[in-house]
């Protein structure tokens, strides 16, 4: 799948997120359950987090919350996510100390996540609601684009 056909929805979501609440680092992951991988479909930082990147899906407190319980993961300091994100030194180097991961759910299954990272204590309840609403407003376009990523 080429990025050209799916990138417009990702770019639009990124731009809207910046307008609504800001996001120093913005990525979208597609979950490839068959391969047991989370693949990066979009990134605001292609050098540090290339769109071709992937990581193994693990069982931990993050996956229990996001994949199993289908709830957003919110951590407003590095201490809140360093145990589940081994790349936290790079995240911090990019000036990010808080994270919001919003699951994209289709037919009761998480098919991807939209990930927002920014300054420490950035994700207030109001910003979380606004960004979750943004993801929900683009639900069908996201589901379609993520399905294309898997081929």
């Amino acid at each position: 799948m080429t990025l050209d056909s799916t990138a417009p929805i990702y770019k639009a979501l990124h731009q809207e997120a910046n307008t609504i609440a800001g996001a120093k680092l913005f990525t979208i992951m597609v979950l490839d359950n068959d391969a047991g991988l989370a693949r990066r479909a979009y990134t605001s930082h292609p050098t540090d987090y290339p769109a071709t990147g992937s990581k193994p899906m693990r069982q931990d407190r993050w996956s229990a919350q996001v994949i199993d319980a289908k709830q957003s993961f919110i951590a407003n300091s590095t201490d809140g996510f360093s145990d589940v994100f081994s790349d936290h030194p790079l995240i911090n180097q990019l000036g990010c100390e808080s994270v919001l991961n919003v699951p994209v759910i289709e037919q009761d299954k998480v098919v991807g996540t939209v990930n927002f990272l920014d300054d420490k204590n950035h994700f207030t309840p109001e910003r979380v609601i606004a960004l979750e609403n943004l993801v929900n407003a683009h639900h069908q376009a996201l589901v379609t684009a993520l399905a294309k990523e898997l081929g």
Side-chain angles (χ1 to χ4, degrees):
M1 170 66 2
T2 66
L3 271 180
D4 292 340
S5 63
T6 56
I9 181 57
Y10 302 152
K11 287 178 185 175
L13 197 59
H14 181 193
Q15 289 171 342
E16 287 184 57
N18 277 334
T19 300
I20 291 171
K24 283 186 179 180
L25 174 60
F26 177 89
T27 66
I28 297 176
M29 302 293 285
V30 58
L31 302 184
D32 185 344
N33 291 300
D34 293 339
L37 293 172
R39 301 180 194 274
R40 200 168 298 108
Y42 179 85
T43 179
S44 63
H45 286 65
T47 301
D48 301 303
Y49 286 99
T52 56
S54 65
K55 58 184 176 179
M57 293 171 59
R58 305 182 325 182
Q59 291 297 317
D60 56 22
R61 70 181 180 92
W62 182 92
S63 64
Q65 183 168 335
V66 178
I67 307 302
D68 300 335
K70 299 171 186 69
Q71 297 174 348
S72 294
F73 177 85
I74 307 155
N76 272 306
S77 70
T78 303
D79 289 343
F81 64 83
S82 61
D83 63 316
V84 291
F85 295 159
S86 61
D87 59 341
H88 67 272
L90 177 55
I91 291 170
N92 290 160
Q93 185 179 338
L94 295 173
C96 300
E97 293 185 61
S98 63
V99 61
L100 168 62
N101 305 123
V102 179
V104 179
I105 304 162
E106 177 69 4
Q107 297 179 354
D108 204 38
K109 181 178 174 183
V110 176
V111 296
T113 61
V114 180
N115 311 297
F116 310 89
L117 295 91
D118 210 297
D119 296 327
K120 186 174 186 175
N121 297 319
H122 184 77
F123 296 106
T124 63
E126 296 79 16
R127 285 181 175 147
V128 170
I129 290 168
L131 291 169
E132 287 176 333
N133 287 341
L134 174 65
V135 171
N136 289 334
H138 292 280
H139 177 264
Q140 195 53 56
L142 271 169
V143 168
T144 300
L146 292 170
K148 287 180 182 178
E149 297 292 339
L150 293 175

